[in-house]
């Protein structure tokens, strides 16, 4: 894992390629399906991804202890084969720090944090949340810009976040290419920026050499162990072979 001082350099070198974030499975009686977590991680690793995140879709229906246990199982299943990051945001600042600290203790490489919905009502409040949490932990942080928060971060706010030592990447998931391009312009030289929408990929690579699709579920849903078209067109686009990459994208 990367410390606060190392985070930005670590992200530039390691947060590359295709990252995906699977859902936490549950048993029929609504208990964590630990065997299912391991099975899903094993399946995704065979897709030759570069990173796996865990815990995004379930945080508001799991207890803190369930989230912590899912973190433990997921990181153990990844077993350092690829970058392992964990979603660690909560309504409570204290619980967010608790979850981030636990993620570090179980061996996660990074955490993904987003502003708590309802309570972060302004850009300054959202910034203060990130800045305070980051100051209390010593691990790489991916900022998640999402409408789920109830407040989307402006490019200018993301540029402020980019100056926080351990904020090293942003998933700009607003499905707004112009917004992501502005983020690249303001702070793409400071943190790793990802527009995670495939339909914007060629534009982001052509204009700003985007190096990662961060947390894109299609990576696991639209590929198999024997056929990885997203990886193929990503690699082609990164190599400047846009026409070939476009054909592969259209084929998919």
């Amino acid at each position: 894992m990367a410390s606060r001082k190392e985070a930005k350099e670590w992200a530039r070198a390691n947060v590359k390629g295709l990252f995906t974030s699977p859902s936490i499975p549950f048993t029929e009686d609504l208990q964590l399906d630990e065997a299912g977590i391991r099975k899903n991680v094993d399946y995704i690793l065979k897709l030759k991804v570069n990173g796996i995140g865990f815990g995004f879709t379930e945080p508001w229906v799991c207890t803190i202890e369930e989230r912590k246990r899912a973190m433990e199982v997921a990181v153990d299943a990844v077993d350092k084969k690829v970058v392992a990051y964990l979603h660690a945001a909560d309504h409570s600042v204290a619980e967010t720090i608790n979850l981030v600290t636990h993620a570090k203790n179980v061996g996660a490489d990074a955490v993904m944090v987003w502003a708590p919905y309802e309570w972060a009502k302004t850009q300054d409040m959202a910034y203060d949340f990130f800045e305070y949490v980051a100051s209390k932990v010593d691990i790489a942080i991916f900022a998640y810009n999402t409408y789920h928060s109830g407040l989307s971060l402006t490019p200018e706010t993301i540029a402020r976040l980019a100056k926080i030592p351990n904020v090293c990447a942003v998933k700009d998931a607003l499905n707004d290419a112009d917004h992501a391009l502005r983020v690249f312009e303001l702070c793409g030289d400071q943190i790793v920026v990802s527009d995670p929408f495939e339909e914007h990929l060629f534009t982001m690579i052509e204009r700003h050499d985007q190096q990662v699709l961060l947390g894109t579920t299609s990576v696991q849903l639209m590929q198999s162990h024997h056929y990885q078209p997203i990886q193929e067109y990503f690699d082609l686009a990164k190599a400047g072979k846009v026409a070939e990459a476009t054909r592969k994208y259209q084929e998919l």
Side-chain angles (χ1 to χ4, degrees):
M1 72 184 69
S3 67
R4 180 185 294 111
K5 293 181 179 179
E6 304 164 335
K8 286 180 169 55
E9 183 179 356
W10 169 84
R12 192 67 66 185
N14 294 281
V15 184
K16 294 181 175 182
L18 304 184
F19 281 48
T20 192
S21 187
S23 300
I24 297 174
F26 298 91
T27 62
E28 290 186 2
D29 58 350
L30 301 183
Q31 301 301 306
L32 287 178
D33 186 351
E34 296 188 12
I37 292 175
R38 294 182 184 278
K39 180 178 179 180
N40 289 347
V41 168
D42 181 66
Y43 177 86
I44 292 169
L45 287 171
K46 291 176 181 176
L47 300 176
K48 303 175 184 178
V49 300
N50 303 98
I52 298 178
F54 240 92
F56 163 57
T57 53
E58 300 78 22
W60 314 129
V61 299
C62 290
T63 66
I64 294 295
E65 292 309 313
E66 286 173 330
R67 293 178 69 184
K68 285 184 172 182
R69 181 56 186 160
M71 287 179 170
E72 295 166 11
V73 176
V75 171
D76 185 64
V78 173
D79 193 27
K80 303 186 184 302
K81 294 181 176 69
V82 297
V83 173
Y85 71 94
L86 298 169
H87 289 266
D90 190 81
H91 297 300
S92 162
V93 173
E95 290 292 19
T96 298
I97 294 170
N98 179 18
L99 287 164
V100 173
T101 300
H102 187 72
K104 177 185 176 180
N105 290 343
V106 302
D109 295 300
V111 293
M112 184 169 278
V113 174
W114 65 99
Y117 66 78
E118 178 62 29
W119 311 118
K121 294 183 180 297
T122 68
Q123 296 295 312
D124 284 342
M125 290 173 73
Y127 173 83
D128 288 346
F129 171 80
F130 277 98
E131 194 280 330
Y132 184 80
V133 169
S135 74
K136 299 298 181 182
V137 299
D138 191 19
I139 188 174
I141 295 174
F142 302 161
Y144 187 23
N145 190 21
T146 171
Y147 291 122
H148 296 291
S149 298
L151 175 78
S152 58
L153 304 174
T154 66
E156 291 72 21
T157 296
I158 295 173
R160 290 179 67 194
L161 295 178
K163 298 183 185 302
I164 298 171
N166 41 340
V167 173
C168 61
V170 60
K171 178 180 179 180
D172 195 26
L174 301 185
N175 200 10
D176 183 339
D178 290 338
H179 187 284
L181 287 168
R182 181 61 176 156
V183 174
F184 269 110
E185 292 167 358
L186 290 176
C187 58
D189 60 336
Q190 299 172 58
I191 60 174
V192 174
V193 177
S194 176
D195 180 325
F197 294 91
E198 288 179 70
E199 56 267 36
H200 303 160
L201 177 62
F202 299 148
T203 297
M204 298 306 159
I205 290 177
E206 182 179 21
R207 296 276 295 276
H208 291 287
D209 197 26
Q210 178 170 307
Q211 69 181 54
V212 63
L213 276 174
L214 187 52
T216 304
T217 54
S218 57
V219 168
Q220 55 181 295
L221 299 176
M222 303 297 290
Q223 301 192 118
S224 73
H225 298 165
H226 306 293
Y227 182 53
Q228 290 110 36
I230 299 174
Q231 184 69 65
E232 289 180 34
Y233 80 68
F234 181 87
D235 291 342
L236 287 166
K238 290 291 286 182
K241 300 177 180 180
V242 177
E244 293 177 54
T246 300
R247 283 196 295 271
K248 178 58 65 173
Y249 174 80
Q250 291 171 343
E251 175 185 313
L252 176 62

